[in-house]
Amino acid sequence: MPVSCMETGQTLTAKIAGEVDHHAAKDLMAQLGREIDAALPQSLELDLGGVSFMDSSGIAVVLRSYKRMKELGGGMTLRQVPPHAAKVLRAAGVDKLIPFLN
Amino acid sequence: MKPINEAKMTFLSRSTNEGFARTAAACFAAQLDPTLDEINDIKTAVSEAVTNCIVHAYPDRLGVVSMRLRLFEDNTLEIVIKDSGVGIPDVDRARKPLYTTGGADRSGMGFTIMESFMDTLKVRSVQEKGTTVTMRRRVSRRLGG
């Protein structure tokens, strides 16, 4: 599961591509955790534009990053959320915690 | 009602088979000419059910998961996913949103998503015998198809 990251000032942009399921989630959480801890950004932009499939494992991936950013006193946004992933994330109320932006 | 088509498969509770199972279900469902949204809903529900077998039914060993797909004349797709694992002690509780025994890695939304993405969901479980999840979804008929 590829995660590609880019830092712009205090913002870390992390792009996830591929299928986000239980099989992929563990690696994904670990990779995102490492990137956040290395960059210690003020804000995290998690770009889901390349996600071709997501089930409820994706909810835990997103919430894990959100918790880590809160611990760091920072914020988080979700970018380019595909409709199918948005449906899964909304089912858990993730949109009430984290803004979905284009 | 008699099914007009049926497919059965069994596979091991390895996490790579989550992708296999949902893709197989999507391929079978394709004969109904579903929309992309319908296909995604079906794939997601299958992924949740199979993940439950892998994470919960067989927590410390590999076991067999079976999936039966049936198609009915009224454009209903029925998916039955069955394991012979540890079973669920309290099905009503397990079906509640955010309830999980899987720790911080799991969201506890699996059954909620199966329920909301499919038309019907039935869960039968016997401890130390296993769990059977039956889901149905009627696929819309499209005009001019």
Side-chain angles (χ1 to χ4, degrees), chain B residues 109-135:
Chain B
M109 290 299 290
F111 278 128
T112 306
I113 283 176
M114 286 180 239
E115 211 160 55
S116 60
F117 284 31
M118 302 295 276
D119 295 331
T120 62
L121 169 71
K122 202 171 78 188
V123 184
R124 277 189 42 214
S125 192
V126 180
Q127 277 188 277
E128 305 308 325
K129 293 271 182 206
T131 301
T132 304
V133 167
T134 304
M135 310 183 272

Side-chain angles (χ1 to χ4, degrees), chain A residues 19-26 29 52-57 59-61 63-64 67 83-84 87-88 91-93, chain B residues 15-16 18-19 22-23 37 40-41 43-44 47-48 51 54-55 98 104-107 109-110 112-113 116-117 137:
Chain A
E19 304 201 309
V20 182
D21 62 2
H22 158 254
H23 179 64
K26 214 172 182 170
M29 284 190 209
S52 53
F53 174 80
M54 182 184 276
D55 66 16
S56 70
S57 307
I59 299 167
V61 170
L63 290 180
R64 174 73 70 90
K67 272 184 199 147
H84 59 90
K87 193 173 173 183
V88 171
Chain B
S15 62
T16 46
E18 294 156 10
R22 65 177 176 261
T23 306
D37 283 348
N40 276 320
D41 287 356
K43 282 173 77 175
T44 308
S47 202
E48 301 297 351
T51 300
I54 292 165
V55 175
L98 304 175
D105 286 355
R106 309 299 315 153
S107 67
M109 290 299 290
T112 306
I113 283 176
S116 60
F117 284 31
R137 170 81 185 245

Side-chain angles (χ1 to χ4, degrees), chain B residues 19-100:
Chain B
F20 164 73
R22 65 177 176 261
T23 306
C27 287
F28 185 82
Q31 61 198 296
L32 290 169
D33 192 24
T35 63
L36 195 58
D37 283 348
E38 287 166 335
I39 277 288
N40 276 320
D41 287 356
I42 291 163
K43 282 173 77 175
T44 308
V46 168
S47 202
E48 301 297 351
V50 172
T51 300
N52 275 352
C53 299
I54 292 165
V55 175
H56 300 291
Y58 305 113
D60 41 28
R61 68 179 174 103
L62 282 176
V64 173
V65 180
S66 72
M67 178 165 78
R68 187 185 72 188
L69 305 159
R70 294 200 297 176
L71 204 66
F72 294 93
E73 266 173 18
D74 66 350
N75 255 30
T76 297
L77 172 70
E78 180 196 71
I79 303 166
V80 181
I81 292 167
K82 196 173 169 185
D83 65 66
S84 309
V86 298
I88 305 170
D90 185 342
V91 170
D92 289 340
R93 196 169 174 206
R95 288 178 69 152
K96 290 211 164 74
L98 304 175
Y99 177 79
T100 184

